[in-house]
């Protein structure tokens, strides 16, 4: 018999409603002791929300509430689950929690409801992690990705990889178990090609850059000479006056950050100090920080004042390799141009070139389109969690070792060891190969009510 747990499923603090969730073998019995429906008598109907009162041991009302009984297996945890929807705030839910724990319920540990859902087979481990991913999603794109994983997108990909690997192992095992009946050539027919294909599929599914952009947003650094219009573009993309804009060169001395949403994706915009060698000590520190911001950005926009001839520093910037993908922005298109795209192309062939008036907004959509292209979000079924990508890389390493063992002419059972370890590692992603330590690491990061 598994003990019955209770936890507050809503965020702590003031709010309209607080949900106290109970799960386990005694959930219904405990619920019936503390909740009394206004117009119904126990046993209460399954999955029906009722108005009533939470009462103390003497039968006195503690709070008005809505209550619902949900019977296994059609529940979140596949156990009997009951919920009490009390008034929000600190006191009401805490009072109900004390009442239920006094009756024998145990306060739930972090992520324990979802952990039980996994242990009871309702979801696999990737779907369990998606639950917390949905809660912590910072953008519509991240939410969409986690929702896809909750629906089994990553699980289906891993299951396909497991099926492919199992078939490859079956041929190897057949020769090892029956060497007189199945020769090695027959057993390994298509094995090398199968391993190569599986390694390629897993490698393509691991997109560190895309996963990080999905999780943290696209980091975009605005770079260029003083007075090129970086702060004006910064304000235009944000849609608000965040940066100070003047005709005085070197107004921006430090890295200024702002964020906006682009196609459901969070974009972190970095307005940096103008790049020039001379200047006071504060400006030189700002230039150093600007270069560091570009080095750690996902993409950079190199702004050039198109109304002024290219100087030596701008020619040097255009001719060098950047630390990240970069587009050249010929700004101040609202004035007669001195610098043309053709002149920039003559200096650099590897940067896309856009024209813009940050002041009027002319050409701003082209900049947004470029940033959207740079996002390169992972496709559905891609691995976007660090743990999943690490396990995939370990699997690739084992598969590569098996491939090398075959190439070196080692006995086939040596390759079989690596293949079995690769299969076990794939199971770590979905939870088929699991231990308590791994579960503790995953669910300790959950909130208590989930």
């Amino acid at each position: 018999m598994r003990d019955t747990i209770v936890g507050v499923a809503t965020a702590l603090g003031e709010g309209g409603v607080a949900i106290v969730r109970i799960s386990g073998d005694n959930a219904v019995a405990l619920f019936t002791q503390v909740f009394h429906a206004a117009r119904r008598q126990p046993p209460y109907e399954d999955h029906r929300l009722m108005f009533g009162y939470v009462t103390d041991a003497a039968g006195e009302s503690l709070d008005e509430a809505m209550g619902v009984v949900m019977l296994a297996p059609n529940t979140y945890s596949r156990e009997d689950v009951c919920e009490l929807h009390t008034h929000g705030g600190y006191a009401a839910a805490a009072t109900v929690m004390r009442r239920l724990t006094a009756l024998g319920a145990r306060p739930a540990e972090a992520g324990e409801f979802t952990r039980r859902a996994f242990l009871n087979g309702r979801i696999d481990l990737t779907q369990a992690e998606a639950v917390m991913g949905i809660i912590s999603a910072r953008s519509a794109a991240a939410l969409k990705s986690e929702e896809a994983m909750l629906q089994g997108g990553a699980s289906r990909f891993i299951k396909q990889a497991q099926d492919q690997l199992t078939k490859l192992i079956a041929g190897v095992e057949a020769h090892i178990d029956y060497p007189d009946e199945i020769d090695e050539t027959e057993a390994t027919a298509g094995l090398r090609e199968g391993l190569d294909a599986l390694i390629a599929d897993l490698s393509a599914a691991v997109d560190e850059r895309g996963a990080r952009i999905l999780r943290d947003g696209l980091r975009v650094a605005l770079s260029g000479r003083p007075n090129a219009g970086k702060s004006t573009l910064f304000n235009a993309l944000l849609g608000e006056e965040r940066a100070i804009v003047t005709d005085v060169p070197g107004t921006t001395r430090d890295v200024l950050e702002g964020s906006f949403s682009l196609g459901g994706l969070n974009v972190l915009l970095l307005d940096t100090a103008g790049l020039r060698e001379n200047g006071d000590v504060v400006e030189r520190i700002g230039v150093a920080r600007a270069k560091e911001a570009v080095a750690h950005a996902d993409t950079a926009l190199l702004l050039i004042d198109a109304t002024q001839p290219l100087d030596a520093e701008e020619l040097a910037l255009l001719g060098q390799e950047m630390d990240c993908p970069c587009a050249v922005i010929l700004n101040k298109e609202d004035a007669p141009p001195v610098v043309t795209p053709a002149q920039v192309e003559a200096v650099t062939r590897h940067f896309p070139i856009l024209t813009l008036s940050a002041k009027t907004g002319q050409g701003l959509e082209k900049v947004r389109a470029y940033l959207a292209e740079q996002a390169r979000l992972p496709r559905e079924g891609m691995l976007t969690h660090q743990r999943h990508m690490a396990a995939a890389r370990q699997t690739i390493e084992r598969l590569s070792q098996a491939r090398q063992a075959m190439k070196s002419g080692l006995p086939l059972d040596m390759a079989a060891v690596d293949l079995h370890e690769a299969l076990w590692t794939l199971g770590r992603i979905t939870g088929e190969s699991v231990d308590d330590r791994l579960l503790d690491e995953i669910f300790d990061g959950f909130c208590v009510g989930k």
Side-chain angles (χ1 to χ4, degrees):
M1 178 176 176
R2 182 174 290 174
D3 55 355
T4 300
I5 57 174
V6 59
V8 180
T10 45
L12 296 177
E14 296 182 2
V17 176
I19 299 176
V20 178
R21 177 175 292 159
I22 318 164
S23 182
D25 294 339
N26 289 331
V28 176
L30 293 176
F31 175 86
T32 304
Q33 286 182 261
V34 303
F35 179 78
H36 299 278
R39 295 181 179 84
R40 288 179 174 79
Q41 297 295 321
Y44 295 124
E45 185 179 348
D46 185 21
H47 282 81
R48 185 183 186 95
L49 190 64
M50 304 167 287
F51 170 75
Y53 302 89
V54 179
T55 61
D56 61 17
E60 296 295 324
S61 176
L62 297 173
D63 192 16
E64 288 185 346
M66 303 296 290
V68 59
V69 171
M70 296 171 280
L71 300 178
N74 300 316
T75 67
Y76 182 74
S77 61
R78 276 197 176 164
E79 301 173 334
D80 288 345
V81 174
C82 300
E83 289 183 352
L84 293 161
H85 299 196
T86 71
H87 286 95
Y90 295 96
T95 299
V96 175
M97 283 286 295
R98 286 194 296 270
R99 175 86 169 100
L100 288 166
T101 54
L103 292 172
R106 174 175 62 79
E109 298 176 359
E112 192 167 3
F113 291 100
T114 304
R115 184 170 184 157
R116 290 190 175 196
F118 163 70
L119 293 174
N120 292 330
R122 194 183 77 80
I123 56 177
D124 68 19
L125 204 51
T126 66
Q127 292 171 303
E129 290 169 291
V131 172
M132 197 60 199
I134 289 171
I135 294 172
S136 59
R138 298 180 181 179
S139 67
L143 176 62
K144 182 178 179 181
S145 175
E146 296 295 341
E147 290 280 6
M149 190 162 74
L150 183 61
Q151 298 302 317
S155 303
R156 285 190 293 272
F157 172 76
I158 296 301
K159 178 61 177 174
Q160 291 171 358
Q162 288 174 313
D163 289 345
Q164 294 173 35
L165 184 52
T166 299
K167 291 177 182 178
L168 297 176
I169 291 174
V172 174
E173 295 288 357
H175 168 70
I176 294 173
D177 294 339
Y178 307 102
D180 296 333
E181 300 178 23
I182 303 174
D183 62 31
E184 184 170 338
T185 302
E186 181 182 356
T188 59
L191 179 58
R192 291 179 177 83
E193 293 79 3
L195 288 176
D196 288 343
L198 191 52
I199 289 171
D201 289 343
L202 288 170
S203 298
V206 176
D207 183 359
E208 290 276 6
R209 181 182 185 273
R212 182 181 50 73
I213 290 173
L214 193 63
R215 181 181 66 251
D216 301 328
L218 182 74
R219 292 179 62 88
V220 180
L222 303 181
S223 180
R225 294 270 295 147
N227 258 16
K230 298 183 297 299
S231 295
T232 304
L233 178 58
F234 180 81
N235 290 338
L237 287 171
L238 294 183
E240 58 179 302
E241 296 297 319
R242 284 286 307 280
I244 298 173
V245 178
T246 73
D247 293 331
V248 180
T251 303
T252 302
R253 296 296 187 99
D254 204 346
V255 178
L256 184 63
E257 297 185 1
S259 62
F260 66 97
S261 180
L262 180 63
L265 176 72
N266 187 52
V267 177
L268 179 62
L269 202 58
L270 308 173
D271 183 18
T272 68
L275 300 177
R276 62 177 174 181
E277 294 303 322
N278 57 345
D280 59 35
V281 63
V282 176
E283 190 171 354
R284 288 197 296 271
I285 293 173
V287 170
R289 291 183 178 179
K291 293 178 179 178
E292 184 179 358
V294 172
H296 292 91
D298 297 304
T299 190
L301 301 179
L302 176 57
L303 272 75
I304 291 177
D305 182 352
T307 66
Q308 301 293 327
L310 293 173
D311 61 20
E313 289 179 326
E314 285 175 327
L315 290 171
L317 286 172
L318 290 171
Q320 70 182 17
E321 292 291 334
M322 299 290 285
D323 294 308
C324 63
C326 178
V328 174
I329 308 293
L330 294 182
N331 191 27
K332 305 186 181 181
E333 192 181 24
D334 51 303
V338 173
V339 179
T340 66
Q343 289 175 289
V344 175
E345 287 177 359
V347 180
T348 177
R349 298 287 183 180
H350 54 282
F351 293 157
I353 302 169
L354 305 175
T355 57
L356 167 75
S357 171
K359 182 177 180 180
T360 67
Q362 182 180 350
L364 195 60
E365 286 308 310
K366 292 183 290 185
V367 176
R368 292 179 180 274
Y370 170 79
L371 296 179
E373 290 175 4
Q374 290 301 305
R376 291 204 313 269
L377 293 179
R379 303 182 306 275
E380 183 175 344
M382 299 284 279
L383 305 179
T384 58
H385 282 217
Q386 290 298 324
R387 188 184 72 83
H388 305 165
M389 291 188 287
R393 286 192 295 268
Q394 292 170 4
T395 302
I396 292 169
E397 183 179 351
R398 293 300 184 185
L399 295 175
S400 299
Q401 289 176 355
R403 184 77 169 81
Q404 184 60 39
M406 294 174 57
K407 185 178 180 180
S408 301
L410 296 175
L412 200 55
D413 55 356
M414 297 292 289
V417 172
D418 287 319
L419 294 178
H420 278 289
E421 289 189 5
L423 187 61
W424 181 85
T425 303
L426 283 177
R428 297 274 286 179
I429 297 177
T430 57
E432 296 170 30
S433 311
V434 72
D435 52 50
D436 288 339
R437 181 177 178 180
L438 174 62
L439 294 182
D440 289 343
E441 289 176 358
I442 292 173
F443 289 106
D444 281 352
F446 275 54
C447 51
V448 172
K450 247 339 191 183

